[in-house]
Amino acid sequence: MMDDPTLLRYSRQIMLPEVDIGGQQRLIDSHALIIGAGGLGSPAALYLAAAGVGHITLVDADSVELSNLQRQIAHQQTSLGQNKAASAKASMQALNPQCRVSVVADHADGKQLERLAATADVVLDCTDRFSSRYAINVATQKAKVPLVSGAAIRFSGQLAVFDPRVPDAPCYACLYPPDGQGDEALSCAESGVMAPLVGIIGCFQAVEAFKLLSGAGKAHQGLSHFDALSGHWRHFNLPRDPACPVCAP
């Protein structure tokens, strides 16, 4: 049961008929795994903590650098040199001390990543490397946990939700087959990125995670692409690849 201060904190969500008391309680009882506490992970983590997700695990092995502060809003000047997941945890709990935040200050992969995914109700991929995204996709497919995938580079952003619980749903490898694409092609360090763009995509990821956890609305389907220079969104249908090495029957 939520006490009066908790009801007041989440009152603007509870008054939404699509959420109500039941949806808010589902958020409080849920566990989100966010991999990457940088440009995408910062707004996603802050908004999910503020919205009342009861347990959030942050995974990031990197330390906060000065060049991160242009877009990674979970960190401050005083965070320089700190582990990103630990820095983001402090910001999240300053915003909402009711949110339990676990920190994994490591490059989780393989069996560790599979174990983490198996404990979560939703996984948010907020990384910027193909190799990380492929590993996260495999882990979520094995755990049968929905994956909210975001990406942002230069002035271009995209979002997709991959839910292995849905029959014939595609996975990340259906969208980008693992055919040796270079990691550097998606790195902000080499290519640059517009600061507010990562906020838009990270918030979009938080919206989808919120819906999946609360039961409100319908999860995003297909692939959405945002061009920040024109302000245009485009949506693409995304069927399962019958030859996918990850999710094909």
Side-chain angles (χ1 to χ4, degrees):
M1 289 289 293
M2 286 178 265
D3 58 19
D4 287 345
T6 302
L7 288 167
L8 180 60
R9 176 183 287 272
Y10 304 123
S11 59
R12 299 304 188 272
Q13 285 176 181
I14 292 170
M15 69 173 58
L16 298 170
E18 295 86 355
V19 179
D20 207 350
I21 291 285
Q24 187 62 55
Q25 189 62 56
R26 284 189 287 274
L27 287 170
I28 292 171
D29 294 339
S30 65
H31 177 203
L33 172 63
I34 302 177
I35 306 173
L40 299 173
S42 287
L46 290 172
Y47 266 111
L48 290 179
V53 174
H55 183 196
I56 298 175
T57 296
L58 290 174
V59 180
D60 202 313
D62 294 340
S63 299
V64 180
E65 301 177 358
L66 186 60
S67 62
N68 301 147
L69 301 184
Q70 162 254 7
R71 66 197 177 281
Q72 299 182 16
I73 60 171
H75 315 301
Q76 293 78 43
Q77 187 79 19
T78 54
S79 305
L80 293 174
Q82 296 179 20
N83 170 262
K84 286 185 181 181
S87 170
K89 174 181 178 177
S91 297
M92 294 160 67
Q93 294 197 312
L95 184 64
N96 185 359
Q98 293 182 351
C99 180
R100 179 163 68 97
V101 183
S102 301
V103 167
V104 179
D106 194 7
H107 290 294
D109 54 18
K111 293 298 182 183
Q112 182 188 16
L113 189 54
E114 290 177 17
R115 286 194 297 270
L116 288 168
T119 68
D121 300 300
V122 67
V123 176
L124 286 76
D125 181 353
C126 299
T127 64
D128 65 354
R129 299 282 181 177
F130 273 121
S131 54
S132 299
R133 291 172 179 167
Y134 290 136
I136 294 166
N137 179 61
V138 169
T140 54
Q141 287 290 313
K142 287 185 177 180
K144 301 297 182 185
V145 175
L147 169 62
V148 183
S149 176
I153 199 73
R154 301 188 184 94
F155 296 96
S156 176
Q158 67 179 39
L159 177 131
V161 176
F162 305 104
D163 193 341
R165 302 170 303 176
V166 176
D168 297 323
C171 75
Y172 184 81
C174 295
L175 176 61
Y176 292 113
D179 56 2
Q181 299 182 67
D183 273 348
E184 288 74 19
L186 283 185
S187 171
C188 295
E190 288 86 6
S191 303
V193 66
M194 177 190 188
L197 175 65
V198 293
I200 292 170
I201 302 302
C203 286
F204 199 170
Q205 290 182 269
V207 165
E208 293 305 317
F210 180 104
K211 291 190 295 181
L212 286 162
L213 295 174
S214 69
K218 179 182 177 182
H220 179 275
Q221 295 180 331
L223 172 70
S224 285
H225 178 270
F226 178 61
D227 181 348
L229 287 176
S230 68
H232 291 162
W233 285 94
R234 298 180 67 191
H235 183 265
F236 305 90
N237 292 326
L238 182 60
R240 173 183 278 183
D241 180 358
C244 177
V246 176
C247 72

